[in-house]
Amino acid sequence: MRTFIALELPDATRDALSRLQDRLRAGRQIDEDDLHVTLSFLGEVDLPRLTDLDLDLQALRVPHPAVEIAGLATFGTDPPRSVHAAVRATPELVHLQAKVAAVVRRAGIALPHRRFVPHVTLARFSRSAPPEELARLGRFLSAHGDFRLDPVMVPEITLFRSRLDADGAIYEVLERYPI
């Protein structure tokens, strides 16, 4: 089962990001209900490992992190793979992500060691994105690159299942864990 652990955003934050997406008019936009901050992408995980992980996530206790949207950016070049709202890497958020990664590894799930770059993906782009779409993206970033939202507290983490579909990924909540 393809899974990941994330912070679900409050409705007001998702609404504000959705209104921002309306101005983008480029790429394959992420549905408003699916906007989140990924803490750990687990990939394919079998049920016994998920059971072990579930027990450890139930016991996880860390301070509630604030999620603060602070600017826009892209991943990838020639062309960009995605555009995202950057999330400020507060000490609480970085600590939470490190704890989640440790719990995942303790459950026997291998994770790559990479730097945590907190973000909310707004849209994805194909490798063959037409030049006019990339031009719209450039104008969008110039006009809205300083986009900011007030910090919001997130009191739980969520384990998601991700199923790939012709239209993109479909996310299903498997469990929520108060932190």
Side-chain angles (χ1 to χ4, degrees):
M1 178 178 329
R2 190 170 186 257
T3 58
F4 65 96
I5 299 169
L7 295 172
E8 289 184 276
L9 300 170
D11 291 344
T13 301
R14 288 195 323 256
D15 289 346
L17 290 170
S18 180
R19 287 191 302 276
L20 178 67
Q21 284 175 308
D22 290 343
R23 298 179 195 137
L24 175 57
R25 297 188 184 110
R28 190 181 80 241
Q29 294 187 8
I30 307 302
D31 287 338
E32 179 179 343
D33 290 340
D34 292 337
L35 297 172
H36 64 272
V37 179
T38 300
L39 297 172
S40 186
F41 180 76
L42 312 181
E44 292 291 331
V45 180
D46 60 25
L47 199 52
R49 292 214 193 281
L50 279 181
T51 301
D52 291 344
L53 178 61
D54 176 69
L55 294 173
D56 285 341
L57 289 173
Q58 287 179 39
L60 186 66
R61 295 293 177 260
V62 295
H64 296 179
V67 173
E68 181 182 349
I69 305 293
L72 302 176
T74 60
F75 286 126
T77 57
D78 289 334
R81 292 184 322 269
S82 65
V83 62
H84 62 268
V87 174
R88 201 164 78 77
T90 63
E92 296 82 10
L93 184 58
V94 171
H95 177 73
L96 171 63
Q97 190 278 330
K99 287 291 201 179
V100 166
V103 165
V104 168
R105 287 186 179 103
R106 193 168 43 245
I109 301 167
L111 292 178
H113 289 278
R114 65 173 75 140
R115 187 171 61 95
F116 176 52
V117 181
H119 65 279
V120 180
T121 301
L122 301 174
R124 298 187 192 286
F125 296 87
S126 72
R127 292 184 193 264
S128 58
E132 60 272 7
E133 187 173 63
L134 298 177
R136 279 194 304 271
L137 172 61
R139 289 190 300 272
F140 172 78
L141 290 171
S142 291
H144 304 288
D146 61 351
F147 181 80
R148 302 259 187 274
L149 291 175
D150 289 335
V152 293
M153 300 304 285
V154 180
E156 62 188 11
I157 59 175
T158 304
L159 176 63
F160 285 94
R161 177 181 187 182
S162 173
R163 291 184 290 119
L164 296 179
D165 177 276
D167 296 327
I170 298 170
Y171 303 143
E172 172 190 349
V173 172
L174 296 177
E175 191 65 58
R176 289 185 176 96
Y177 304 93
I179 51 176

